[in-house]
Amino acid sequence: MTVLVIGGTGKVGTLLVTTLAANGAKVRVLVRSEDRVALLPTGVDPAVVSIVDDPDGAQAAFDGIDQVFMLNRPVATEVVEGVLAVLLARRAGVRRFVYQSVFHAEAHAHLPHVASKVAIGTAVRNSGMAWTLLSPNHFFQNDWMTREALSDGRYVVPIGGVGCSGIDAQDIAAAAARVLSSDGHDGMDYPIVGRQVLNGAACAAAWSEVLRRPVTYDTDPARWRASSPMPAWLGLDLMTMYETFGRDGYIASEREMDSTVRLLGRQPVDYADYVTRTAAQWGLS
C-alpha cells in the first residue's frame, strides 16, 4: 500500500502518518515548505510543493500512489487546494480517496470553513475514484486554545452549555488508518464522535479534577477570540460556529456513536483520559 497524506503534520495527520509507517505502509507526505520535512518520521517520503501555487509541479507527488488521505487547513484557498488535489489524484490513477470533512457538514454550511468542506466533499464523491469521508465532531485538541488561560483557572473554549460529542485526534487518526488499511469502506461517510456530551462546564470540571485546583468555565467568547490569534475571517467563522454550538449543541445520535465504535473496534478515548495525558504533556500536572 502506498499512501499520499495531505495534511500530514497536523494534529491528526502526524498520528496517522506515524501509524501507517509503523504498520509497513509506504507513505508520502505533501508539505508546503522544507521546514515541515523535519516534522516527519524517519522513512516517510516528503513531497515539498504547494498544490495551489504549483499544481503542475504537484502532479508528481501523486505518481505511483494507491490511496490519498486529505485533511485541509482552514485557509482562504481551502476549496481550490482540495478540488485541485482531487483532480491531480484522478489524473494519476489513484484508486481511493479518503477525505476528512466535518460532522453534519451540510447543516453547518453557513460557516465558511465548513462550506469549503462541503464543496470538496462533493468533488470527492463525483471523482470516479473509490471514496470514503470521515466526519469528526469537535476535537478535544481544540483545548490548545485554553492552555494559557488554565494557568489562571479558566477554561475559555466557548463550546457553550448544550454540549458536543467531542472526539480525540487519536481516534480520528485510528479511524483513518483502519479505512486506509482495509476494505469495505467505499462510499461511506463515517461520523467520528465521542460517547460523552461535553459542555463548557463539564470540560472545566475535568481540568479542575486533573489539575487539583479550581477551573471555571469562562462564558464570554469575546475573551477567547481576543486570546486566540488567527486571521480575521477565521475568527468570525469560528465565533459563529461556537455561537451555533451554544444554541443548538453538536450532539451525535446513539446510532452515530455506535458507528464510531464499530469502525474503531473499541470505545473512543474518554475526555478525562485526554485531559490527564495533555496536562502531563503541557507540564501542568
Side-chain angles (χ1 to χ4, degrees), residues 218-243:
D218 188 333
T219 60
D220 185 353
R223 281 196 287 270
W224 162 81
R225 185 176 180 183
S227 65
S228 303
M230 63 187 71
W233 74 267
L234 184 59
L236 177 58
D237 181 347
L238 296 184
M239 276 288 293
T240 307
M241 177 187 77
Y242 283 121
E243 289 169 358

Side-chain angles (χ1 to χ4, degrees), residues 141-227:
Q141 278 71 15
N142 287 332
D143 278 2
W144 70 267
M145 295 183 288
T146 198
R147 180 174 178 174
E148 291 186 9
L150 286 169
S151 64
D152 297 328
R154 294 181 298 122
Y155 181 88
V156 300
V157 182
I159 62 175
V162 180
C164 302
S165 301
I167 193 75
D168 196 311
Q170 289 188 350
D171 289 330
I172 304 169
R178 177 157 290 199
V179 167
L180 290 163
S181 59
S182 60
D183 296 324
H185 308 289
D186 294 350
M188 299 296 293
D189 182 350
Y190 289 114
I192 311 297
V193 300
R195 282 258 179 225
Q196 302 162 283
V197 176
L198 298 161
N199 61 20
C203 291
W207 279 101
S208 183
E209 178 73 18
V210 169
L211 299 181
R212 299 184 181 87
R213 59 177 184 267
V215 175
T216 59
Y217 176 47
D218 188 333
T219 60
D220 185 353
R223 281 196 287 270
W224 162 81
R225 185 176 180 183
S227 65

Side-chain angles (χ1 to χ4, degrees), residues 7 16 39 47 85 98 108 110 112-113 119 139 149 166 174 215 271 280-281:
L16 173 61
L39 301 175
V98 180
H108 293 86
H110 62 289
H113 78 282
F139 285 27
V215 175
Y271 183 70
Q281 290 171 347

Side-chain angles (χ1 to χ4, degrees), residues 94-98 124 127-132 185-187:
V94 169
R95 178 177 66 85
R96 180 196 283 176
F97 203 106
V98 180
V124 171
S127 67
M129 294 178 283
W131 59 268
T132 306
H185 308 289
D186 294 350

Side-chain angles (χ1 to χ4, degrees), residues 37-48:
V37 174
L39 301 175
L40 302 177
T42 302
V44 170
D45 176 24
V48 184

Side-chain angles (χ1 to χ4, degrees), residues 45-98:
D45 176 24
V48 184
V49 66
S50 167
I51 291 176
V52 173
D53 296 333
D54 185 12
D56 291 328
Q59 183 68 73
F62 292 79
D63 291 344
I65 295 298
D66 180 52
Q67 302 185 81
V68 170
F69 173 84
M70 182 168 70
L71 192 176
N72 305 90
R73 296 180 303 159
V75 294
T77 56
E78 183 175 354
V79 173
V80 175
E81 179 185 59
V83 176
L84 278 174
V86 175
L87 173 62
L88 297 176
R90 288 179 58 188
R91 287 182 171 179
V94 169
R95 178 177 66 85
R96 180 196 283 176
F97 203 106
V98 180

